[in-house]
């Protein structure tokens, strides 16, 4: 009897946890459609009585959402490209060449992940100002965010490379391949699932980058959507429906991408690079 009901109990617990986790998203979409009086009603309504769908096109046009979203895509794409290109080689070296210097390097890589962005922004701002990168603020933000994302990417991809047997590389070297050729034609194809998953997670994280963009980019035409959202906030801000509509427009593309790629993400994280 216990074995019969155990799967249903676990399913019920999983659905309850999923409902708790997803409720803020649901509340964001519902609140965006409510009127001002209904928004503060007590007890609250879990579905708007008179849904106001016009708030979405109004916010889209009034807040220049296409520009903000494009800037977010540019920044996230740049961060992902730099992280993948540089981080993949770094992860391979840390996975294949083991000595005390490599262990020290891995320790410093992990220490970089500990530092919060709020601590790093001041020295980065001064450094970028010295080399003139503040004249190219989006480039400066991409470099800063890539440096922040690199340790996370390197540690995860290193584990993927460690799951690829060394014997495959040695066989390729015996067959006449160079070390570079063995990496590109043997190791990299086998590790592509893990690298792709880490690249997707890096893009999603960089899409919501805020601290560096808020501190470095001053022109609204170059700011990402995360900074544009802060334009609603102020001491007298009461237009919560517009704030929630903006947030819904901003979050929905990432949610759609995650739903589409969830199978690949889960398989890459759980099954490793080898089939």
């Amino acid at each position: 009897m216990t074995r019969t009901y155990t799967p249903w109990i676990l399913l019920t617990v999983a659905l309850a946890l999923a409902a708790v986790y997803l409720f803020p998203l649901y509340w964001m979409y519902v609140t965006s459609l409510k009127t001002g009086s209904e928004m503060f009603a007590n007890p609250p309504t879990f579905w708007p009585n008179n849904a106001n769908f016009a708030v979405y096109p109004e916010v889209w046009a009034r807040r220049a959402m296409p520009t903000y979203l494009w800037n977010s895509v540019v920044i996230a794409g740049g961060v992902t490209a730099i992280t993948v290109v540089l981080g993949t080689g770094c992860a391979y070296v840390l996975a294949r060449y083991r000595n005390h210097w490599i262990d020290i390097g891995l320790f410093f890589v992990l220490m970089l992940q500990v530092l919060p962005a709020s601590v790093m922004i001041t020295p980065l701002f001064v450094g970028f100002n010295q080399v003139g990168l503040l004249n190219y603020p989006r480039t400066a933000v991409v470099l800063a965010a890539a440096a922040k994302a690199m340790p996370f990417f390197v540690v995860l991809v290193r584990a993927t490379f460690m799951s690829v047997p060394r014997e495959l590389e040695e066989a390729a070297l015996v067959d006449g391949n160079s070390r570079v050729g063995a990496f590109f034609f043997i190791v990299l194809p086998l590790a592509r699932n893990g690298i792709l998953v880490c690249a997707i997670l890096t893009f999603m994280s960089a899409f919501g980058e805020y601290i560096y963009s808020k501190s470095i980019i001053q022109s609204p035409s170059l700011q990402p959507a995360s900074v544009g959202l802060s334009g609603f906030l102020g001491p007298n801000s009461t237009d919560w429906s517009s704030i929630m509509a903006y947030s819904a427009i901003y979050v929905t593309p990432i949610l759609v991408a995650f739903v589409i790629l969830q199978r690949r993400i889960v398989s890459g994280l759980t099954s490793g690079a080898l089939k």
Side-chain angles (χ1 to χ4, degrees), residues 37-39 67 73 84-85 97 102 105 127 176-177 248 253:
S37 58
E38 187 180 3
M39 197 176 302
T67 300
V73 171
V84 171
V85 172
Y97 300 96
I102 295 296
N177 263 313

Side-chain angles (χ1 to χ4, degrees), residues 6-20:
T6 297
W8 292 102
I9 294 174
L10 294 177
L11 178 60
T12 303
V13 172
L15 291 176
L17 293 175
V20 171

Side-chain angles (χ1 to χ4, degrees), residues 38 40 43 49 61 76 94 109 118 131 134 162 168 179 182 193 197 206 212-213 227 245 248 251:
E38 187 180 3
F40 298 101
N49 296 323
L94 292 174
V109 168
S118 56
V131 299
L134 293 183
M162 291 180 68
L168 296 177
R179 176 68 67 178
N193 284 348
V197 168
Y212 295 134
S213 299
V227 179
V251 170

